[in-house]
Amino acid sequence: MKIGIVGSGYVGLVTGVCFTLKDHEVILVDVVKEKVDAINKGISPIYEPGLDEILKEALERNILRATTSYEEMMKEADVVFIAVPTPSKPDGSMDVRFIEAVAKQIVETLNKMEPRNLVFVMKSTVLPGTTENIFKALILAGIRDEWKGKISFTMNPEFLREGMAVEDFLNPDRVVIGADNDYGREVLVKIYRDFVDNEKILIVPIKVAELIKYASNAFLSMKISFANEIGNLAKSLGIDVYEVMEGVGMDKRIGRAFLNAGLGFGGSCFPKDVSALLNFGRSLGHEMKLLEATLEVNKKQPSKLVDLALKRYRSLEGKEVVVLGLAFKPNTDDVRESRALELIKELLEKGVAKVHAYDPKAIDNAKTVLDDERIIYHNSLESALGSADIVFIATEWQDFADESLYEGKEVFDGRKVIKGEKAKYYEGICW
Ligand SMILES: NC(=O)c1ccc[n+]([C@@H]2O[C@H](COP(=O)([O-])OP(=O)(O)OC[C@H]3O[C@@H](n4cnc5c(N)ncnc54)[C@H](O)[C@@H]3O)[C@@H](O)[C@H]2O)c1
């Protein structure tokens, strides 16, 4: 099939690149020319394990390219996936600006083309009603009459985890498909049957597909905040919450995943999706207390780690510290809503003179959002660790797990990366 993808970020690029493994022809469109040029040269603008190799192979086979032109992307496409951002507005509600802009560009392009069957797939995370009441409505209102009846609208939320995106895309737990007609639904089922068995494909109304994504992210975020709340209590009792969660997670009804207490959740999805759902619920008269508490617990975790250091040193005024990890989780360069950055901000607020920061992949991205002369970004772990003796671990990169790195150091661990066997002093946030 010929597949167009709108948006070449984490979701769009991974989706497009993975479709080439099943011999589909993929054209990605993006508004950022540098991204398009990089992709066409075989350089992935994002870091995801395994992505570069598949991208290069697809380019060599001539079955993938990127462009800034919607016309080029749509002129032969059978299916067009939409994977543009759906960020939060300052009040936490969902910003549909990008979806509206895409709809506008699609209308302009369709009106220059001859009508034929075309399926649009909303892959961006959007609140119930968005695909039909905004995206579909805008397109149907703008296109020539001959197109009507030829276009299918579908919704297919994405559940990949950054850092594991390729693996998750190729082996999903489930594929959720919402569609407004049989043709659109069948096209999507055909595409995904190459990746999963029938029983993993869930066919639902479009609105249900939209809400499944939010409910899933809200539940996972809630599990993390729950583990943190119990973790904060455990710490005050001298109990290691990881031992507790091992026992809790052995219950099949609960499961062990997402019960790792620590600095909390970040990234481009959980914080914004929980906020958007909370806001959406309120707008319909629902209080959504669990969601409110999930965000509140999460917000406070970085200060819990700083408080442990304050307890030990009384003041952090004028001290130099090392912060290991900037990405919101390991194996990604994504720093959006990273708890590590919140930790650094908090340390600076408490008067820390210099933060020596290191991350294996995320330094460039961190620099764009956290530019402060008191932060020194180091190119190597050794150089960062050699600069100060108080160390905060903020992201669970495997590179940080070697106990011998911390000889003579005072370590405040926000992710249970080490046991602190060789450290001069060791304190875990919830253990
Ligand atoms: N990142 C994840 O792990 C993840 C997982 C599941 C779902 N999602 C959802 O998928 C959507 C995309 O997320 P992402 O992380 O891939 O975002 P991203 O910011 O990494 O990528 C979005 C891309 O869209 C491009 N873009 C913006 N406006 C455009 C337009 N009008 N036309 C063409 N391209 C345009 C941007 O330049 C960017 O390259 C969001 O709704 C997000 O919530 C993300």
Side-chain angles (χ1 to χ4, degrees):
M1 243 178 259
K2 296 201 169 152
I3 300 179
I5 312 250
V6 181
S8 309
Y10 284 88
V11 171
L13 185 60
V14 170
T15 303
V17 164
C18 288
F19 281 153
T20 65
L21 290 174
K22 303 295 176 191
D23 299 331
H24 295 294
E25 256 183 79
V26 172
I27 304 190
L28 296 140
V29 70
D30 205 286
V31 283
V32 180
K33 187 166 182 314
E34 295 77 50
K35 275 194 190 186
V36 165
D37 292 343
I39 293 168
N40 286 332
K41 281 186 202 138
I43 304 162
S44 164
I46 54 159
Y47 171 72
E48 265 306 325
L51 190 63
D52 272 341
E53 293 77 4
I54 315 174
L55 171 62
K56 285 200 180 84
E57 202 185 303
L59 288 167
E60 271 162 29
R61 292 174 63 204
N62 222 0
I63 54 169
L64 181 140
R65 68 181 192 280
T67 174
T68 53
S69 154
Y70 271 67
E71 258 179 277
E72 190 183 339
M73 182 268 298
M74 275 170 57
K75 74 177 171 225
E76 289 171 33
D78 302 302
V79 192
V80 175
F81 285 77
I82 316 300
V84 292
T86 45
S88 306
K89 288 187 190 164
D91 67 357
S93 63
M94 186 182 75
D95 187 345
V96 289
R97 220 163 10 116
F98 294 93
I99 301 291
E100 289 170 344
V102 170
K104 191 168 165 246
Q105 277 163 299
I106 285 174
V107 165
E108 279 169 19
T109 313
L110 287 178
N111 283 339
K112 289 183 207 154
M113 287 168 47
E114 282 313 305
R116 62 185 155 79
N117 282 333
L118 194 52
V119 179
F120 288 108
V121 189
M122 181 60 69
K123 217 171 201 352
S124 293
T125 302
V126 291
L127 285 165
T130 311
T131 303
E132 289 170 292
N133 303 341
I134 298 179
F135 184 66
K136 176 176 171 178
L138 283 172
I139 292 179
L140 291 186
I143 52 172
R144 302 197 314 267
D145 280 347
E146 308 97 89
W147 268 106
K148 291 179 185 157
K150 298 266 179 208
I151 302 180
S152 310
F153 291 90
T154 66
M155 204 280 149
N156 165 228
E158 182 49 60
F159 300 100
L160 59 78
R161 294 163 296 172
E162 284 182 26
M164 308 278 281
V166 171
E167 200 184 313
D168 283 351
F169 193 88
L170 298 177
N171 305 293
D173 288 342
R174 79 296 210 190
V175 170
V176 174
I177 296 173
D180 72 346
N181 68 26
D182 290 345
Y183 178 77
R185 182 167 44 246
E186 278 158 21
V187 166
L188 276 194
V189 169
K190 197 163 171 229
I191 292 175
Y192 281 112
R193 278 292 282 111
D194 282 343
F195 293 91
V196 291
D197 294 335
N198 250 341
E199 58 268 24
K200 286 195 172 178
I201 299 180
L202 186 67
I203 308 285
V204 291
I206 288 180
K207 262 190 205 168
V208 176
E210 290 168 327
L211 189 53
I212 285 174
K213 173 65 189 173
Y214 279 94
S216 302
N217 275 1
F219 190 77
L220 294 172
S221 308
M222 193 174 70
K223 272 186 105 176
I224 297 172
S225 280
F226 174 79
N228 286 336
E229 192 151 272
I230 299 292
N232 296 334
L233 172 73
K235 175 81 183 170
S236 69
L237 299 171
I239 291 173
D240 178 348
V241 72
Y242 278 70
E243 283 186 55
V244 177
M245 289 308 161
E246 202 183 319
V248 172
M250 283 168 85
D251 186 327
K252 284 199 202 75
R253 295 167 304 174
I254 300 173
R256 176 64 186 82
F258 285 76
L259 290 177
N260 290 334
L263 279 183
F265 57 81
S268 66
C269 291
F270 285 4
K272 87 162 166 72
D273 292 349
V274 178
S275 299
L277 189 58
L278 173 65
N279 208 282
F280 183 64
R282 278 185 187 149
S283 74
L284 296 173
H286 303 286
E287 279 191 85
M288 314 295 275
K289 286 284 182 203
L290 287 176
L291 303 186
E292 209 174 283
T294 297
L295 291 176
E296 217 173 291
V297 170
N298 195 54
K299 194 164 178 235
K300 288 187 185 148
Q301 284 311 102
S303 19
K304 301 264 174 209
L305 194 64
V306 176
D307 286 348
L308 292 173
L310 282 172
K311 207 165 134 201
R312 176 156 175 82
Y313 306 117
R314 266 193 243 130
S315 163
L316 289 169
E317 205 74 46
K319 290 202 185 300
E320 295 198 20
V321 304
V322 179
V323 171
L324 297 184
L326 297 161
F328 83 93
K329 66 174 182 180
N331 301 320
T332 179
D333 58 354
D334 196 342
V335 298
R336 291 179 282 185
E337 299 282 337
S338 170
R339 300 290 85 198
L341 304 191
E342 292 307 311
L343 173 71
I344 292 176
K345 284 188 208 159
E346 181 99 21
L347 287 166
L348 293 174
E349 265 168 36
K350 293 286 182 290
V352 162
K354 278 199 173 89
V355 173
H356 297 274
Y358 172 73
D359 188 285
K361 296 283 176 201
I363 290 177
D364 288 347
N365 285 341
K367 277 182 185 167
T368 64
V369 284
L370 213 54
D371 182 20
D372 187 308
E373 57 191 18
R374 292 168 294 171
I375 306 170
I376 295 138
Y377 291 100
H378 290 258
N379 289 329
S380 77
L381 179 55
E382 292 68 27
S383 151
L385 281 170
S387 307
D389 288 333
I390 302 174
V391 181
F392 291 84
I393 306 181
T395 313
E396 61 273 40
W397 283 98
Q398 193 53 39
D399 311 34
F400 305 157
D402 178 357
E403 299 280 346
S404 62
L405 289 169
Y406 304 93
E407 262 173 57
K409 304 284 176 195
E410 308 225 331
V411 182
F412 297 87
D413 189 350
R415 299 290 182 190
K416 206 166 174 70
V417 173
I418 56 167
K419 294 196 176 97
E421 286 158 348
K422 303 231 166 110
K424 187 169 148 208
Y425 177 82
Y426 177 83
E427 189 96 63
I429 183 169
C430 294
W431 51 92

